Amino acid sequence: MLQRSLLGLALVAGCGASPSSPSSPSSSGTTPARPASAFDPAAQLPTASEDVTFGSGDVPGTLVHPTAPGKYPGIIFMAGSGPTDRDWNSPLIPAKNGSGKLLAEALAAHGAVVLRFDKAGVGGNKHAVTGDATFDIYRDEGRAALALLRARPDVDAAHLFVAGHSEGAYHAARVAEAEGHAIAGVLLLSGAGRTLESILLAQIDGQLRTAMPAQAEAVMAALHRAFDDFAASKPVDPDQVTTIPALRMVLRSAMAPQSATLARGLLRFDPLPVVATLDVPVFIYNGEKDIQVDPAIDTKALVEARKGKDVTEFLAPDANHVLEHEARAKAELSPGTVKYNEPDRVLDPATVDAISKWIATISKR
């Protein structure tokens, strides 16, 4: 049972309050009237999708936008952990009804130009994540995606947003940090308020204490030593760390020599200091039925990091980690029972509503 349930960790190893209601224009008259084509959560506009490339022409993505002429807010999506592609599908998940694609199309229909793309080393993106590559590569791709949107005549360059999902929330925060006031806001969707290493070890610890309580403490001590050695650039042999096949697989994925430089930075990146310093509005979201990122720990930490700065928190009562509607009780969910991106899965309506209303609010400023 432990080996089977730990397979769900590969998704990570590779890897409240209601939103504010839209504000009224300033009575001073200094806020310009919104054009008719501006973002509207009630709108259902015709849209079109097109394949694009950006950066040096080697980052492939999909742009979905309203077909009617106008100036629309622009949004880039940054995908989550492991081999997750632009649609938020992964070879680790058999189904292909990716919620990234679904969310992009929903927001475009409300009046946004949305760009999602294959990150380095995934899908059609041939950027190498080996050798000396650092996890700055993801931040740099995000900034290049914003540059593409700024160059488009149908994008309101004063209202650009960065949305990052799961591990992608780390990268979205770093893009926002680098961009400063050149963007209008950032959305951290199912993002962690801890290091990726902390989440991974906490997940393993919880499963070990259920499956083999007598051995859990010793196994966890060995894992902590292994991660400390890896961070210090010391060699780690998974076969010497543990006898549990599933844990060996996780260690090999997290500590693969060919991407060790990138992994060291990513595993120990602490998002809280970055989130705390962002000078743009931040939307912090999680589904209360997320079993990968803990809303009670992570969302709370991210919100507290803002310390009175512009922040909107939304916890969707019936959404899972990938923003899909989940009817079952959280107690019924486990890595072996959660099915992401199945053909019949739909986005959680409360989630889409909250995101849309926040974008509408910020787009009026």
Side-chain angles (χ1 to χ4, degrees), residues 108-123:
H110 294 329
V113 178
V114 186
L115 174 59
R116 62 191 194 275
F117 57 93
D118 292 337
K119 64 183 179 180
V122 174

Side-chain angles (χ1 to χ4, degrees), residues 14-259:
C15 49
S18 299
S20 307
S21 10
S23 56
S24 302
S26 169
S27 58
S28 67
T30 58
T31 302
R34 295 170 70 203
S37 60
F39 191 89
D40 180 359
Q44 288 296 328
L45 305 175
T47 64
S49 294
E50 59 184 272
D51 291 334
V52 296
T53 58
F54 58 90
S56 301
D58 48 7
V59 180
T62 299
L63 197 75
V64 56
H65 56 87
T67 55
K71 287 279 191 180
Y72 302 97
I75 310 170
I76 67 166
F77 281 7
M78 305 199 73
S81 59
T84 304
D85 66 16
R86 71 185 81 176
D87 294 339
W88 302 358
N89 289 318
S90 168
L92 302 174
I93 302 173
K96 300 300 178 187
N97 186 31
S99 51
K101 178 178 184 290
L102 298 178
L103 182 61
E105 292 172 346
L107 296 180
H110 294 329
V113 178
V114 186
L115 174 59
R116 62 191 194 275
F117 57 93
D118 292 337
K119 64 183 179 180
V122 174
N125 189 331
K126 305 306 180 186
H127 280 182
V129 293
T130 58
D132 294 330
T134 71
F135 84 125
D136 288 350
I137 194 169
Y138 303 124
R139 178 200 61 197
D140 296 344
E141 287 182 344
R143 300 193 73 185
L146 288 170
L148 182 149
L149 291 183
R150 287 191 181 99
R152 287 183 60 90
D154 58 348
V155 171
D156 174 6
H159 291 103
L160 294 177
F161 297 88
V162 183
H165 174 253
S166 191
E167 180 196 301
Y170 290 159
H171 309 310
R174 299 187 76 229
V175 170
E177 178 186 42
E179 290 283 324
H181 290 286
I183 63 170
V186 59
L187 299 93
L188 308 179
L189 307 175
S190 305
R194 298 167 283 169
T195 67
L196 193 59
E197 178 183 314
S198 296
I199 294 175
L200 178 59
L201 289 172
Q203 289 182 344
I204 294 172
D205 184 76
Q207 295 195 43
L208 283 173
R209 293 187 186 280
T210 298
M212 47 179 64
Q215 294 83 25
E217 188 170 343
V219 174
M220 290 306 303
L223 290 175
H224 280 281
R225 287 194 298 270
F227 277 95
D228 287 343
D229 286 345
F230 180 69
S233 299
K234 296 178 182 178
V236 176
D237 181 355
D239 293 342
Q240 298 300 313
V241 175
T242 177
T243 59
I244 301 173
L247 288 181
R248 289 176 171 176
M249 181 189 71
V250 170
L251 292 175
R252 289 192 179 95
S253 174
M255 303 178 182
Q258 62 268 29
S259 56

Side-chain angles (χ1 to χ4, degrees), residues 312-353:
T312 297
E313 175 189 7
F314 183 76
L315 297 178
D318 293 310
N320 64 18
H321 183 67
V322 297
L323 287 63
E324 295 167 342
H325 187 72
E326 178 56 70
R328 291 173 295 173
K330 188 172 183 178
E332 300 176 42
L333 306 176
S334 69
T337 64
V338 173
K339 302 297 183 184
Y340 295 142
N341 299 352
E342 294 289 335
D344 61 341
R345 300 309 293 265
V346 298
L347 293 175
D348 178 61
T351 295
V352 178
D353 184 64

